[in-house]
Amino acid sequence: MQIGPYRLRNHLVVAPMAGVTDRPFRQLCKRMGAGMAVSEMVTSNSLLYGSAKTLRRADHEGEVAPVSVQIAGADPAMMAAAARHNVERGAQIIDINMGCPAKKVCNVMAGSALLQDEALVARILDAVVRAVPDTPVTLKIRTGWDKAHRNALNVLRIAQDCGIQALAIHGRTRACGYSGEAEYQTIAAVKAVARIPVIANGDITTPEKARHVLQVTGADGIMIGRAAQGRPWLFREIAHYLATGERLPAPEVTEIHQVLLTHLDALYAFYGELAGTRMARKHIAWYTRGLADSAGFRHAMNRLESTRAQLDAVNDFFRRARERGQRPIDLDAAPAERAAA
């Protein structure tokens, strides 16, 4: 898949997720098979450029190209300035957030709330593309504000006219949140008339589902978010399955342990002792899903306040899992199959 001058090694993209797709997570997913990873959204409010959170989100040191940074806001001039600011600091692709369904984002007319005002969508896209003429600009949307107002086709036309170079679509409206099934037929309808790459997003949890979504939508790529939390190897599994039609074996407990330790080391180095320990808690919870006694372990983990205590607890948990000869439960299997595992 080609985005501007960047030829991705495959068509697997890590979705932008607030509080998740920081530099350590993006780098890990790329090492494990993702062709591109989009950053968690960065504010367009210049008053926050110097905040610790914004500075961390704009830290791309050592990241494999292309570096894609997502910006969020509702004012065309501010969004244009944010695009220039991030390109000056290393962004190679600018992604515009018009898909976030969070209330605090939509309440300020940003994220997916923008889909209610197509004229404003056009002004924002035009301003950002003009602000960074040598940098490809991409767009992330939902299928519409609600089921009565699906307008992904209209937004595609606006995006193409403004010079957007790729469109990612989460196959739900803002009103749907994350409930119900993703609307792959809507994505297919957009792809059928698109002149730019279309990336399908929503409910892609297994290699088989990835192939199904590509076949049904005709999309140029797929974007994976929540399914990769605690499962960064999902990208290598999908890449292998699409290339060969065969499933790779699920990772053993030993590999899960090693990948988690690598991720924790990167988190501690990136955030420091206190923030790193707290940020690591959710990742540890995700990595240990499907392992025996993980619920009690996660509860105890949330009370630990140092990296040393956290690492000791993680190592002890996985040591006991190996001694039991345990294999992870397939979280994508049917309930009856999980119970029998």
Side-chain angles (χ1 to χ4, degrees), residues 172-193:
R172 290 182 174 87
T173 68
R174 188 270 174 179
C176 291
Y178 295 98
S179 63
E181 295 183 357
E183 307 165 22
Y184 299 131
Q185 293 304 324
T186 302
I187 299 175
V190 171
K191 171 57 187 171
V193 298

PDB file of all heavy atoms in Angstrom, residues 172-193:
ATOM      1  N   ARG A 172     -18.614   1.749  11.872  1.00  0.00           N
ATOM      2  CA  ARG A 172     -19.744   2.031  12.746  1.00  0.00           C
ATOM      3  C   ARG A 172     -20.006   3.533  12.728  1.00  0.00           C
ATOM      4  O   ARG A 172     -19.119   4.327  12.416  1.00  0.00           O
ATOM      5  CB  ARG A 172     -19.469   1.605  14.195  1.00  0.00           C
ATOM      6  CG  ARG A 172     -19.415   0.107  14.428  1.00  0.00           C
ATOM      7  CD  ARG A 172     -19.185  -0.183  15.912  1.00  0.00           C
ATOM      8  NE  ARG A 172     -19.272  -1.600  16.226  1.00  0.00           N
ATOM      9  CZ  ARG A 172     -18.250  -2.461  16.138  1.00  0.00           C
ATOM     10  NH1 ARG A 172     -17.058  -2.017  15.728  1.00  0.00           N
ATOM     11  NH2 ARG A 172     -18.409  -3.728  16.440  1.00  0.00           N
ATOM     12  N   THR A 173     -21.222   3.926  13.087  1.00  0.00           N
ATOM     13  CA  THR A 173     -21.502   5.341  13.282  1.00  0.00           C
ATOM     14  C   THR A 173     -21.028   5.748  14.673  1.00  0.00           C
ATOM     15  O   THR A 173     -20.724   4.895  15.521  1.00  0.00           O
ATOM     16  CB  THR A 173     -23.005   5.628  13.175  1.00  0.00           C
ATOM     17  OG1 THR A 173     -23.688   5.025  14.292  1.00  0.00           O
ATOM     18  CG2 THR A 173     -23.579   5.092  11.875  1.00  0.00           C
ATOM     19  N   ARG A 174     -21.004   7.052  14.897  1.00  0.00           N
ATOM     20  CA  ARG A 174     -20.630   7.516  16.230  1.00  0.00           C
ATOM     21  C   ARG A 174     -21.642   7.026  17.262  1.00  0.00           C
ATOM     22  O   ARG A 174     -21.274   6.620  18.373  1.00  0.00           O
ATOM     23  CB  ARG A 174     -20.555   9.041  16.242  1.00  0.00           C
ATOM     24  CG  ARG A 174     -19.975   9.607  17.542  1.00  0.00           C
ATOM     25  CD  ARG A 174     -21.015   9.881  18.603  1.00  0.00           C
ATOM     26  NE  ARG A 174     -20.387  10.283  19.856  1.00  0.00           N
ATOM     27  CZ  ARG A 174     -21.060  10.600  20.955  1.00  0.00           C
ATOM     28  NH1 ARG A 174     -22.381  10.530  20.961  1.00  0.00           N
ATOM     29  NH2 ARG A 174     -20.421  10.941  22.050  1.00  0.00           N
ATOM     30  N   ALA A 175     -22.920   7.023  16.915  1.00  0.00           N
ATOM     31  CA  ALA A 175     -23.965   6.606  17.853  1.00  0.00           C
ATOM     32  C   ALA A 175     -23.816   5.143  18.254  1.00  0.00           C
ATOM     33  O   ALA A 175     -24.191   4.750  19.354  1.00  0.00           O
ATOM     34  CB  ALA A 175     -25.344   6.843  17.241  1.00  0.00           C
ATOM     35  N   CYS A 176     -23.228   4.332  17.384  1.00  0.00           N
ATOM     36  CA  CYS A 176     -23.052   2.904  17.682  1.00  0.00           C
ATOM     37  C   CYS A 176     -21.955   2.665  18.716  1.00  0.00           C
ATOM     38  O   CYS A 176     -21.934   1.600  19.354  1.00  0.00           O
ATOM     39  CB  CYS A 176     -22.706   2.141  16.406  1.00  0.00           C
ATOM     40  SG  CYS A 176     -24.041   2.030  15.212  1.00  0.00           S
ATOM     41  N   GLY A 177     -21.045   3.623  18.872  1.00  0.00           N
ATOM     42  CA  GLY A 177     -19.916   3.384  19.763  1.00  0.00           C
ATOM     43  C   GLY A 177     -19.117   2.194  19.273  1.00  0.00           C
ATOM     44  O   GLY A 177     -18.622   2.179  18.148  1.00  0.00           O
ATOM     45  N   TYR A 178     -19.006   1.165  20.111  1.00  0.00           N
ATOM     46  CA  TYR A 178     -18.317  -0.071  19.712  1.00  0.00           C
ATOM     47  C   TYR A 178     -19.272  -1.268  19.757  1.00  0.00           C
ATOM     48  O   TYR A 178     -18.833  -2.412  19.754  1.00  0.00           O
ATOM     49  CB  TYR A 178     -17.110  -0.322  20.622  1.00  0.00           C
ATOM     50  CG  TYR A 178     -16.050   0.734  20.469  1.00  0.00           C
ATOM     51  CD1 TYR A 178     -15.968   1.794  21.355  1.00  0.00           C
ATOM     52  CD2 TYR A 178     -15.155   0.692  19.404  1.00  0.00           C
ATOM     53  CE1 TYR A 178     -15.004   2.787  21.202  1.00  0.00           C
ATOM     54  CE2 TYR A 178     -14.192   1.678  19.235  1.00  0.00           C
ATOM     55  CZ  TYR A 178     -14.128   2.723  20.147  1.00  0.00           C
ATOM     56  OH  TYR A 178     -13.180   3.701  19.981  1.00  0.00           O
ATOM     57  N   SER A 179     -20.578  -1.002  19.764  1.00  0.00           N
ATOM     58  CA  SER A 179     -21.555  -2.078  19.839  1.00  0.00           C
ATOM     59  C   SER A 179     -22.033  -2.468  18.445  1.00  0.00           C
ATOM     60  O   SER A 179     -21.858  -1.730  17.471  1.00  0.00           O
ATOM     61  CB  SER A 179     -22.757  -1.636  20.689  1.00  0.00           C
ATOM     62  OG  SER A 179     -23.427  -0.543  20.072  1.00  0.00           O
ATOM     63  N   GLY A 180     -22.648  -3.648  18.377  1.00  0.00           N
ATOM     64  CA  GLY A 180     -23.141  -4.133  17.096  1.00  0.00           C
ATOM     65  C   GLY A 180     -22.002  -4.558  16.187  1.00  0.00           C
ATOM     66  O   GLY A 180     -20.833  -4.507  16.550  1.00  0.00           O
ATOM     67  N   GLU A 181     -22.378  -4.993  14.993  1.00  0.00           N
ATOM     68  CA  GLU A 181     -21.385  -5.466  14.036  1.00  0.00           C
ATOM     69  C   GLU A 181     -20.932  -4.336  13.121  1.00  0.00           C
ATOM     70  O   GLU A 181     -21.706  -3.445  12.769  1.00  0.00           O
ATOM     71  CB  GLU A 181     -21.967  -6.608  13.201  1.00  0.00           C
ATOM     72  CG  GLU A 181     -22.292  -7.852  14.027  1.00  0.00           C
ATOM     73  CD  GLU A 181     -22.791  -8.995  13.170  1.00  0.00           C
ATOM     74  OE1 GLU A 181     -22.938  -8.793  11.943  1.00  0.00           O
ATOM     75  OE2 GLU A 181     -23.030 -10.080  13.724  1.00  0.00           O
ATOM     76  N   ALA A 182     -19.679  -4.382  12.732  1.00  0.00           N
ATOM     77  CA  ALA A 182     -19.141  -3.373  11.829  1.00  0.00           C
ATOM     78  C   ALA A 182     -19.818  -3.453  10.465  1.00  0.00           C
ATOM     79  O   ALA A 182     -20.153  -4.536   9.985  1.00  0.00           O
ATOM     80  CB  ALA A 182     -17.632  -3.563  11.678  1.00  0.00           C
ATOM     81  N   GLU A 183     -20.014  -2.313   9.836  1.00  0.00           N
ATOM     82  CA  GLU A 183     -20.715  -2.209   8.551  1.00  0.00           C
ATOM     83  C   GLU A 183     -19.714  -2.344   7.402  1.00  0.00           C
ATOM     84  O   GLU A 183     -19.309  -1.359   6.791  1.00  0.00           O
ATOM     85  CB  GLU A 183     -21.413  -0.854   8.432  1.00  0.00           C
ATOM     86  CG  GLU A 183     -22.321  -0.482   9.583  1.00  0.00           C
ATOM     87  CD  GLU A 183     -22.667   1.012   9.553  1.00  0.00           C
ATOM     88  OE1 GLU A 183     -22.559   1.633   8.478  1.00  0.00           O
ATOM     89  OE2 GLU A 183     -23.018   1.541  10.603  1.00  0.00           O
ATOM     90  N   TYR A 184     -19.345  -3.549   7.090  1.00  0.00           N
ATOM     91  CA  TYR A 184     -18.366  -3.732   6.028  1.00  0.00           C
ATOM     92  C   TYR A 184     -18.928  -3.371   4.658  1.00  0.00           C
ATOM     93  O   TYR A 184     -18.175  -2.966   3.761  1.00  0.00           O
ATOM     94  CB  TYR A 184     -17.854  -5.176   6.026  1.00  0.00           C
ATOM     95  CG  TYR A 184     -17.161  -5.553   7.316  1.00  0.00           C
ATOM     96  CD1 TYR A 184     -17.492  -6.729   7.985  1.00  0.00           C
ATOM     97  CD2 TYR A 184     -16.185  -4.730   7.880  1.00  0.00           C
ATOM     98  CE1 TYR A 184     -16.857  -7.082   9.175  1.00  0.00           C
ATOM     99  CE2 TYR A 184     -15.555  -5.074   9.068  1.00  0.00           C
ATOM    100  CZ  TYR A 184     -15.898  -6.248   9.702  1.00  0.00           C
ATOM    101  OH  TYR A 184     -15.281  -6.591  10.885  1.00  0.00           O
ATOM    102  N   GLN A 185     -20.233  -3.483   4.489  1.00  0.00           N
ATOM    103  CA  GLN A 185     -20.818  -3.130   3.190  1.00  0.00           C
ATOM    104  C   GLN A 185     -20.707  -1.633   2.925  1.00  0.00           C
ATOM    105  O   GLN A 185     -20.558  -1.202   1.770  1.00  0.00           O
ATOM    106  CB  GLN A 185     -22.283  -3.578   3.124  1.00  0.00           C
ATOM    107  CG  GLN A 185     -22.463  -5.090   3.124  1.00  0.00           C
ATOM    108  CD  GLN A 185     -21.699  -5.778   2.003  1.00  0.00           C
ATOM    109  OE1 GLN A 185     -21.577  -5.247   0.901  1.00  0.00           O
ATOM    110  NE2 GLN A 185     -21.154  -6.956   2.285  1.00  0.00           N
ATOM    111  N   THR A 186     -20.776  -0.819   3.989  1.00  0.00           N
ATOM    112  CA  THR A 186     -20.595   0.619   3.802  1.00  0.00           C
ATOM    113  C   THR A 186     -19.173   0.915   3.360  1.00  0.00           C
ATOM    114  O   THR A 186     -18.936   1.741   2.471  1.00  0.00           O
ATOM    115  CB  THR A 186     -20.899   1.370   5.105  1.00  0.00           C
ATOM    116  OG1 THR A 186     -22.240   1.085   5.527  1.00  0.00           O
ATOM    117  CG2 THR A 186     -20.763   2.874   4.919  1.00  0.00           C
ATOM    118  N   ILE A 187     -18.218   0.225   3.984  1.00  0.00           N
ATOM    119  CA  ILE A 187     -16.817   0.407   3.572  1.00  0.00           C
ATOM    120  C   ILE A 187     -16.639  -0.036   2.119  1.00  0.00           C
ATOM    121  O   ILE A 187     -15.937   0.615   1.341  1.00  0.00           O
ATOM    122  CB  ILE A 187     -15.877  -0.371   4.511  1.00  0.00           C
ATOM    123  CG1 ILE A 187     -16.018   0.146   5.949  1.00  0.00           C
ATOM    124  CG2 ILE A 187     -14.434  -0.250   4.042  1.00  0.00           C
ATOM    125  CD1 ILE A 187     -15.229  -0.641   6.982  1.00  0.00           C
ATOM    126  N   ALA A 188     -17.281  -1.134   1.750  1.00  0.00           N
ATOM    127  CA  ALA A 188     -17.195  -1.625   0.373  1.00  0.00           C
ATOM    128  C   ALA A 188     -17.744  -0.598  -0.611  1.00  0.00           C
ATOM    129  O   ALA A 188     -17.180  -0.398  -1.708  1.00  0.00           O
ATOM    130  CB  ALA A 188     -17.945  -2.941   0.236  1.00  0.00           C
ATOM    131  N   ALA A 189     -18.842   0.069  -0.230  1.00  0.00           N
ATOM    132  CA  ALA A 189     -19.434   1.080  -1.118  1.00  0.00           C
ATOM    133  C   ALA A 189     -18.491   2.263  -1.302  1.00  0.00           C
ATOM    134  O   ALA A 189     -18.394   2.829  -2.403  1.00  0.00           O
ATOM    135  CB  ALA A 189     -20.767   1.547  -0.542  1.00  0.00           C
ATOM    136  N   VAL A 190     -17.793   2.626  -0.260  1.00  0.00           N
ATOM    137  CA  VAL A 190     -16.819   3.717  -0.355  1.00  0.00           C
ATOM    138  C   VAL A 190     -15.645   3.299  -1.239  1.00  0.00           C
ATOM    139  O   VAL A 190     -15.224   4.032  -2.130  1.00  0.00           O
ATOM    140  CB  VAL A 190     -16.325   4.125   1.053  1.00  0.00           C
ATOM    141  CG1 VAL A 190     -15.153   5.095   0.959  1.00  0.00           C
ATOM    142  CG2 VAL A 190     -17.467   4.750   1.859  1.00  0.00           C
ATOM    143  N   LYS A 191     -15.129   2.106  -0.999  1.00  0.00           N
ATOM    144  CA  LYS A 191     -13.991   1.622  -1.773  1.00  0.00           C
ATOM    145  C   LYS A 191     -14.329   1.530  -3.260  1.00  0.00           C
ATOM    146  O   LYS A 191     -13.481   1.782  -4.133  1.00  0.00           O
ATOM    147  CB  LYS A 191     -13.535   0.262  -1.238  1.00  0.00           C
ATOM    148  CG  LYS A 191     -12.501  -0.457  -2.093  1.00  0.00           C
ATOM    149  CD  LYS A 191     -11.241   0.389  -2.305  1.00  0.00           C
ATOM    150  CE  LYS A 191     -10.310  -0.271  -3.293  1.00  0.00           C
ATOM    151  NZ  LYS A 191      -9.179   0.624  -3.674  1.00  0.00           N
ATOM    152  N   ALA A 192     -15.563   1.195  -3.575  1.00  0.00           N
ATOM    153  CA  ALA A 192     -15.955   1.001  -4.973  1.00  0.00           C
ATOM    154  C   ALA A 192     -15.799   2.260  -5.809  1.00  0.00           C
ATOM    155  O   ALA A 192     -15.624   2.171  -7.037  1.00  0.00           O
ATOM    156  CB  ALA A 192     -17.402   0.504  -5.035  1.00  0.00           C
ATOM    157  N   VAL A 193     -15.856   3.422  -5.184  1.00  0.00           N
ATOM    158  CA  VAL A 193     -15.763   4.679  -5.950  1.00  0.00           C
ATOM    159  C   VAL A 193     -14.527   5.491  -5.578  1.00  0.00           C
ATOM    160  O   VAL A 193     -14.308   6.570  -6.144  1.00  0.00           O
ATOM    161  CB  VAL A 193     -17.032   5.537  -5.748  1.00  0.00           C
ATOM    162  CG1 VAL A 193     -18.257   4.806  -6.269  1.00  0.00           C
ATOM    163  CG2 VAL A 193     -17.216   5.921  -4.291  1.00  0.00           C
TER     164      VAL A 193
END
